[in-house]
Amino acid sequence: MSTDRVLAITERIARQILRDRRSIGLLIVGPLIVMSLVGFSLYEQREILDRVAPGLLGVFVLFFTFILTGVGFLRERAQGTLERLQTTLVGSFDIMLGYMLGFLIFAVVQTVVIFTFTIFALDIQYKGSLWEIGVVLFLVVAVAVSLGIFISSFANNEFQVVQFIPIVLAPQIFLSGVIIPVEQMPEVFEWLSVVLPLTYAVDALHEIMLQGTDLTNVWGDLAALVVFSTALLGAAVATLRR
Amino acid sequence: MQTTAVVEARDVSFSYGTREVLSGLSLSVSEGEIFGVLGANGSGKTTLMRMMVGLLSADGGGLSVHGNTPSARQAAQVGYMPQLSALYQELSARENVDFFARMYGMSDRRARAEAVDEAIAIVDLADRGGDTILNLSGGMRQRVSLAIALVHRPALLLLDEPTVGLDPDLRAAFWERFRQMANAGTTILISSHTMDDAAHCDRLAFLRDGRVIAMDTPSALRAATGRADASLEDAFIHFLRMSD
């Protein structure tokens, strides 16, 4: 692994996204619109709002990182830049890590914006520290980047990447406990939620942000996210074979 | 004069599924020469190039670059310009070249800046280096792609149809530059399907259906037709007919 090559990829991703004004708008304005809709429609039902808001943080990071990585990597494949990269000294893990760090920057920005909005506009009181939330979100980014790269190998164009949303993301949003607590779902869905990475992210975010527990108390969730991200990383790297 | 083989292919075969692309292909490229691989579309030129940079592995036979099985580990010595310009559209020409220089292992910022300046100057894009790829013409993108291939000053340049889509002026400028690099010791292997390019090469291999049907200097290939006024195109057709 080369630190300089990883950082070069991270810088490149950051530059590409920063120059794409629409993507920046999507990253910032999109979550704010959804948070406003959810927040103001549930404004009088504080209990529900308090429970839904932390999970949505995980949803946004997963959703946008998956879409941007999927489309970004599809372009890498279609434009021939991935093949060109593979004729240089850069390794598959350098590429993956560079992508993850690049998107982590935007995930952190997104988190800070959503945080500020929910605290000041929706009057939601969080516990826990930002860096601990950041650790959970990094693991969500790792899952989303690997998933995006893996899925991009099955798509021939951007339209096809978007078509994976109902298959890959929708079950996670509905079954991971963001909207309805997992234990209140029918047993079959409860079982299904076990194999969805977002379930563990949502649980960890709930624990940290609502209960004020620290990372040591959510190690099971973190371990599950590490296992998911490692497995997906392996699958993604397999699609990068020369 | 004894010359060293930089690229050596012996009886190389390769298939995409059941479709045979290279079949018993043999050739040898010496240090410091410009070697042209000429053939029609689908004759196996790009497949051969992709094998030389380790993107594909031969099904049979032996292929070596600098005495080793081709792989990305040799990237510091090999510059590859693919047929697609393969550039990041949102980045400037300079940022693209700088990024790939880092991928080639040039981590020292100052040395890299000099190498990037030099590569951009070689392709005559110093005044457009700050423009994003989206704002450059097709010919300019080709030049950026070439700058990437040579930014780390490789000993071997593999250029897959580098002059496609270039206007005559630019094509002439490219060839002038290739000759200067070859004179300085760089080995250059170029694939092309145009006879304009072929005339600039020191030696040529004519490819047909993944097989070398003739290999020699341009003048020797022309002479082999038996006609004093034969062009390289005549020579190519002559060998195609002989291989029927």
Side-chain angles (χ1 to χ4, degrees), chain A residues 51-86:
Chain A
R51 201 179 54 75
V52 168
L56 282 177
L57 207 57
V59 169
F60 290 132
V61 170
L62 180 74
F63 185 87
F64 286 102
T65 308
F66 171 78
I67 295 288
L68 290 174
T69 311
V71 172
F73 229 80
L74 183 82
R75 284 191 199 160
E76 290 258 23
R77 292 179 201 275
Q79 292 175 351
T81 47
L82 177 62
E83 188 164 291
R84 188 164 211 163
L85 277 177
Q86 289 174 325

Side-chain angles (χ1 to χ4, degrees), chain B residues 69-241:
Chain B
T69 303
S71 83
R73 284 191 294 275
Q74 292 174 288
Q77 293 175 287
V78 180
Y80 172 56
M81 179 180 172
Q83 215 175 104
L84 277 174
S85 53
L87 302 167
Y88 295 104
Q89 310 288 315
E90 304 86 353
L91 303 188
S92 71
R94 173 174 294 280
E95 285 167 342
N96 267 282
V97 179
D98 183 74
F99 172 73
F100 278 101
R102 291 173 83 175
M103 297 300 108
Y104 280 121
M106 301 179 78
S107 54
D108 183 85
R109 194 182 289 261
R110 187 174 294 179
R112 190 173 71 242
E114 282 174 18
V116 171
D117 282 344
E118 186 184 303
I120 294 271
I122 285 173
V123 298
D124 200 20
L125 275 178
D127 57 335
R128 301 293 300 270
D131 291 13
T132 56
I133 298 302
L134 285 168
N135 294 325
L136 296 181
S137 67
M140 287 176 182
R141 292 178 192 191
Q142 287 280 84
R143 284 145 77 181
V144 177
S145 185
L146 177 62
I148 289 170
L150 48 85
V151 67
H152 58 304
R153 301 176 184 115
L156 171 65
L157 266 178
L158 299 171
L159 310 174
D160 195 359
E161 309 232 13
T163 60
V164 167
L166 297 185
D167 56 49
D169 274 3
L170 197 53
R171 187 183 288 246
F174 261 44
W175 274 108
E176 194 180 327
R177 185 56 66 184
F178 295 157
R179 181 52 64 192
Q180 285 170 2
M181 287 191 283
N183 289 342
T186 306
T187 307
I188 302 176
L189 198 150
I190 286 180
S191 78
S192 179
H193 61 267
T194 74
M195 296 304 149
D196 284 354
D197 286 337
H200 292 279
C201 297
D202 297 319
R203 282 196 309 140
L204 294 168
F206 288 160
L207 247 63
R208 180 186 189 171
D209 299 331
R211 197 184 298 267
V212 174
I213 55 171
M215 183 164 61
D216 214 323
T217 61
S219 56
L221 290 168
R222 279 195 298 264
T225 62
R227 283 171 39 204
D229 62 341
S231 65
L232 273 173
E233 195 162 330
D234 296 329
F236 186 62
I237 292 166
H238 168 79
F239 284 105
L240 280 182
R241 286 182 182 154

